[in-house]
Amino acid sequence: MSMRWDDHFLARERVYRDPGPACFNGLQAARKRVATNTREDWMWLADALGDVRRKFFVAMVFRLQSVPRRLLAALISAAVSELNPSTNQFYIRPCVRTFGTKEVVTRLLRIVEVGSNEEQCGAVSALYWAYGNERDDDLAELRQRRQRLLLMRFIENENVNLRRRILPALSFNADKYPAELQPLVATAMAIARAHPDEYIRHRIGIQTGEGGPLMPVPSMRAAVEDRAGMSFAASSVPSSASHDWSLNYSTRVLE
């Protein structure tokens, strides 16, 4: 009798801190299990991606194999719900590898357009990892759409967490924008320079060449935990899988 997905998950829980053969073999067994999935199995995997304890396990199952389309939305949602703007890569990269940058970025931008402030924060952070396009898609139009959307969101939405997440992704080269939006680049810079938030003022200085050591993007955990009923979950990634995201996320502008 084959193991249930609950069994695979619990077996992983017992050994995930040990990168030895038991951990590897357990994941390999779970990956092979995908080929025999029933409808109920697929439901388990989709539900697990919405659970703080189980979703990283599912991400590891699909880290080295194609993501089925039926899990694409759930994986992107899992990335968006991550508080740490680095560990969301474990959910985004398998999607990009399977479906290409264009589809993943398009879905993330839609969340920025219509999502809650918390969802927009997660989507902006996830955009950082939506690279590795292997399909030679023409991304020029999508890149312009992203820059326009992020610029307008930064100016129009006063949520401090969203502005913190957007700012590192903004280009302040006016030539990157259509003529009608170019005057708004100066508006965004003025907002950032006069902002009461220390990180935002620091970050605009970094991006305009003032130098100095990088300050990490402040965590959203406290703000989220203070709000009852919020769907944002704490990061499910084991500490052994994390790294210093603050330098990564703070240095690259999405051109």
Side-chain angles (χ1 to χ4, degrees), residues 37-108:
N37 266 0
T38 64
R39 180 175 178 273
E40 289 72 23
D41 293 329
W42 288 117
M43 291 176 61
W44 188 97
L45 291 169
D47 289 344
L49 284 166
D51 178 80
V52 68
R53 291 182 61 241
R54 297 182 293 168
K55 66 179 187 175
F56 184 65
F57 163 72
V58 179
M60 291 299 98
V61 168
F62 291 100
R63 188 177 187 182
L64 300 177
Q65 61 192 58
S66 295
V67 172
R69 183 164 288 277
R70 66 178 77 199
L71 292 183
L72 175 59
L75 273 164
I76 289 178
S77 180
V80 168
S81 70
E82 275 293 328
L83 295 181
N84 186 323
S86 175
T87 55
N88 51 24
Q89 67 178 292
F90 296 108
Y91 309 97
I92 289 296
R93 284 180 164 173
C95 296
V96 172
R97 187 186 66 246
T98 303
F99 298 101
T101 295
K102 188 172 185 178
E103 177 157 2
V104 175
V105 170
T106 297
R107 286 174 176 261
L108 290 171

Side-chain angles (χ1 to χ4, degrees), residues 169-188:
L170 273 184
S171 171
F172 289 98
N173 181 351
D175 292 338
K176 298 288 185 180
Y177 300 90
E180 66 272 16
L181 293 185
Q182 289 179 5
L184 296 182
V185 175
T187 301

